[in-house]
Amino acid sequence: MYNLDNIKAPAGKMLIGSSWVSAQSGETLAVENPANGDIFAQIASGSALEVDLAVKSARAAFESIEWSRMRPLDRSRLLEQVALKLEQHADELALLESYDNGKPKHLALMVDVPTAVEVFRYMAGWCTKIYGKTLPVSGDGSRYHAYTIRQPVGVIGAITPWNYPLPMAAWKVASAMAAGCTVVLKPSEITSLTTLRMAELMLDAGVPPGVLNVVTGKGETVGEALITHLDVNKIAFTGSTPVGKHILRTSANDLKRVSLELGGKSPTIIMPDANLEKAIPDAAMAIFFNSGQTCFAGSRLLCHDSVYDEVIAGIKEVAKNLPIGHGQAAETMIGPVVNKKQKDRIENYIRIGQEEGAEAISANSKIPEQGYFVAPTILSGVSPDSRVFNEEIFGPVLTATKFKTEDEAIALANQSCFGLGANLYCRDGQASHRMASAINAGTVWVNSYFVLDPAMPFGGFKQSGIGREVGEDGVLMFTESKSVCMSLES
Ligand code: NAP
Ligand code: MG
């Protein structure tokens, strides 16, 4: 069943320039399959030493004639080649992610790999469209010609999480490369394999050595060395809010540019006129997909009083029919969560929810004995003052709370320190627009959920982050704007 013969991850090596190197300390970290606890690979446990070498390699590539003078059209063609290469290896990448992260392979093939492929293809178009402006200078304007140019920020330190390793790495690398930057990428120590394989495929696609370097290892060593390195110009981070805050504080030392994609507690709001045939399965999948390990998961159901019972019963029914199992089985919809730490954390939150007075409805009791599985769970009757309403659980756990009016729904939606996404189910067009405007979140999906598109800037309000990835905003955040002012008189 677990056949790794087709998987080629550069075992125990990191990419610095064109070389695959082991950690100089010789240390490695075990890679565990969350479906059964098997150790099936090793990654290098890098240190500040390898980070420094990787930054030097990225700096040299940034300044090289080959990269810095590459015509935008040729950079565009290169990103297209990367997209093609990843697409050709889609099956292998999905399988590798399934082993490493636990997620169902067929869902990785449907979501993770295409998201990565498409951002390279989309960003290929931006290489040739990064414009400055001509500026109508006031005052003595007739004597000056002024314009802006957009230049690449420089060397990027990219740090990614374990829930969608390949898309998060691809979003950062594709956008940074489109802008002309070079990258040192540190994937989560829990799921580094698809990132390493992506880097290998990018070299095969013709990406010049040093444009992408990957240093694997622990957050507190490799991550810390990257965020404190004085020759890194910008950190692009996706991960937890506490680490994001630490990065922001650390960046004050040398005023590194920082963009942060952090946690969330996104609401799914069901209005009384919603089409429940759509809203119910969507609300279920908005939380249970990827075992709830999605930063913008619809983890708080806010449901109108008049349809609450029907919606809860419906979500329970959907969840009951989601097969739980290891990620290589074609029928699996719910894989394991990523490790024991997460499983314990999620189960603890279910207990806390019950202690706080919620009813825990477990939708599926057929849980495999081995591995880190958690059944989809609804916590019904959750009070807005409770911990489970306010804290990110990051597992297949939906809190459910009733409301009576539109204003109450908006107030509950906004009662959060986060503001990443919101799913709104409503047939009334005017109410939809009113609510989309009033909800404090980076993305509001109306009668839809989980639509990520490389053209749609993504990011958070409040403690869900700073900056927007992908889309025009996403490429421009890897540039600096320079004003040039030229006298027209000699
Ligand atoms: P995490 O603990 O913050 O880790 C994220 C990354 O930061 C990992 O690569 C981690 O390395 C690294 N890291 C840890 N400590 C560091 C330090 N001191 N300096 C620099 N880097 C450090 O988050 P996670 O547990 O992997 O991911 C789950 C969280 O990410 C959730 O809160 C989720 O909501 C959020 N998330 C947000 C988005 C978004 O787009 N907004 C997307 C996905 C996930 P190690 O793994 O090696 O420790
Ligand atoms: Mg793993």
Side-chain angles (χ1 to χ4, degrees):
M1 193 178 298
Y2 298 114
N3 179 6
L4 284 168
D5 293 350
N6 296 326
I7 294 177
K8 287 183 287 170
K13 306 272 187 189
M14 302 172 277
L15 179 62
I16 297 179
S18 59
S19 310
W20 289 98
V21 299
S22 306
Q24 293 206 9
S25 66
E27 285 174 23
T28 58
L29 296 168
V31 181
E32 184 184 24
N33 179 342
N36 57 15
D38 282 356
I39 304 299
F40 70 99
Q42 298 284 327
I43 56 163
S45 184
S47 68
L49 198 93
E50 281 86 22
V51 169
D52 188 51
L53 291 172
V55 172
K56 288 195 168 92
S57 154
R59 176 62 59 193
F62 182 70
E63 287 172 0
S64 70
I65 304 264
E66 184 185 14
W67 184 245
S68 66
R69 304 263 176 92
M70 187 182 279
R71 298 186 319 148
L73 261 178
D74 292 331
R75 217 160 65 234
S76 173
R77 190 159 48 188
L78 190 61
L79 292 187
E80 296 240 20
Q81 288 301 321
V82 173
L84 200 62
K85 209 37 139 187
L86 295 178
E87 201 164 46
Q88 285 163 351
H89 291 79
D91 203 71
E92 173 202 333
L93 287 163
L95 182 60
L96 191 54
E97 200 65 272
S98 178
Y99 276 105
D100 201 2
N101 165 285
K103 64 179 69 192
K105 179 196 160 195
H106 67 102
L107 297 180
L109 206 49
M110 195 176 89
V111 174
D112 295 55
V113 182
T115 303
V117 168
E118 285 170 10
V119 74
F120 277 101
R121 202 157 273 152
Y122 171 84
M123 285 297 168
W126 270 109
C127 298
T128 51
K129 292 163 197 72
I130 298 174
Y131 302 120
K133 292 177 176 161
T134 53
L135 309 171
V137 183
S138 296
D140 234 351
S142 61
R143 290 172 49 211
Y144 296 103
H145 171 49
Y147 59 93
T148 55
I149 46 180
R150 288 272 180 182
Q151 295 184 321
V153 170
V155 172
I156 308 301
I159 302 177
T160 51
W162 46 259
N163 56 348
Y164 293 91
L166 193 60
M168 293 301 98
W171 272 16
K172 290 172 178 56
V173 172
S175 312
M177 283 176 65
C181 296
T182 59
V183 181
V184 177
L185 174 55
K186 182 238 165 305
S188 167
E189 71 192 70
I190 304 166
T191 55
S192 294
L193 298 182
T194 50
T195 302
L196 290 164
R197 186 66 183 125
M198 177 182 92
E200 195 177 33
L201 292 169
M202 285 177 64
L203 283 182
D204 288 352
V207 172
V211 170
L212 173 63
N213 307 271
V214 180
V215 183
T216 54
K218 295 188 172 172
E220 62 265 27
T221 49
V222 174
E224 199 64 33
L226 200 52
I227 66 175
T228 50
H229 199 295
L230 293 176
D231 204 28
V232 171
N233 301 100
K234 174 183 159 80
I235 296 291
F237 173 79
T238 299
S240 64
T241 295
V243 176
K245 288 179 182 175
H246 169 66
I247 290 174
L248 196 57
R249 279 191 290 266
T250 307
S251 70
N253 292 332
D254 61 346
L255 288 181
K256 267 189 203 9
R257 279 69 182 118
V258 173
S259 55
L260 305 171
E261 300 285 358
L262 308 176
K265 192 76 184 176
S266 303
T268 295
I269 305 167
I270 300 189
M271 298 300 283
D273 67 339
N275 172 5
L276 295 186
E277 277 178 32
K278 179 164 172 54
I280 288 172
D282 282 14
M285 292 318 290
I287 178 65
F288 299 137
F289 188 85
N290 213 40
S291 297
Q293 304 166 117
T294 302
C295 50
F296 56 94
S299 52
R300 288 186 297 154
L301 175 72
L302 306 177
C303 186
H304 192 266
D305 196 24
S306 62
V307 290
Y308 184 87
D309 291 343
E310 186 181 351
V311 168
I312 296 292
I315 293 176
K316 183 181 173 192
E317 193 57 29
V318 173
K320 209 174 72 186
N321 293 312
L322 295 173
I324 302 184
H326 73 75
Q328 293 84 59
E331 69 279 4
T332 297
M333 288 300 292
I334 306 279
V337 298
V338 80
N339 58 20
K340 178 158 188 327
K341 188 173 150 208
Q342 287 303 117
K343 179 177 157 76
D344 291 348
R345 181 187 143 93
I346 297 162
E347 288 175 346
N348 190 41
Y349 268 114
I350 296 173
R351 268 192 299 276
I352 291 171
Q354 288 170 295
E355 283 161 18
E356 289 176 323
E359 179 196 357
I361 305 168
S362 176
N364 193 326
S365 52
K366 283 174 273 153
I367 295 278
E369 279 176 17
Q370 262 191 322
Y372 309 122
F373 292 90
V374 181
T377 302
I378 305 164
L379 291 173
S380 179
V382 162
S383 149
D385 301 328
S386 62
R387 283 184 64 189
V388 290
F389 185 90
N390 291 287
E391 296 174 20
E392 187 179 44
I393 298 174
F394 223 55
V397 181
L398 179 66
T399 68
T401 306
K402 290 180 195 176
F403 66 84
K404 288 204 167 78
T405 64
E406 181 182 318
D407 284 349
E408 200 188 339
I410 293 167
L412 284 170
N414 289 341
Q415 189 198 307
S416 175
C417 66
F418 299 112
L420 195 53
N423 312 311
L424 171 63
Y425 287 86
C426 182
R427 279 189 168 120
D428 176 343
Q430 289 169 329
S432 299
H433 285 299
R434 272 197 308 271
M435 293 179 77
S437 162
I439 293 167
N440 299 325
T443 306
V444 178
W445 286 275
V446 182
N447 297 323
S448 59
Y449 74 108
F450 259 76
V451 184
L452 290 186
D453 190 283
M456 246 165 62
F458 179 84
F461 280 30
K462 300 191 269 186
Q463 294 189 34
S464 286
I466 292 179
R468 297 290 178 270
E469 289 203 279
V470 299
E472 181 175 7
D473 304 37
V475 68
L476 293 185
M477 79 172 183
F478 288 99
T479 66
E480 292 276 11
S481 175
K482 179 183 285 177
S483 296
V484 179
C485 181
M486 189 175 184
S487 170
L488 297 176
E489 293 164 2
S490 52

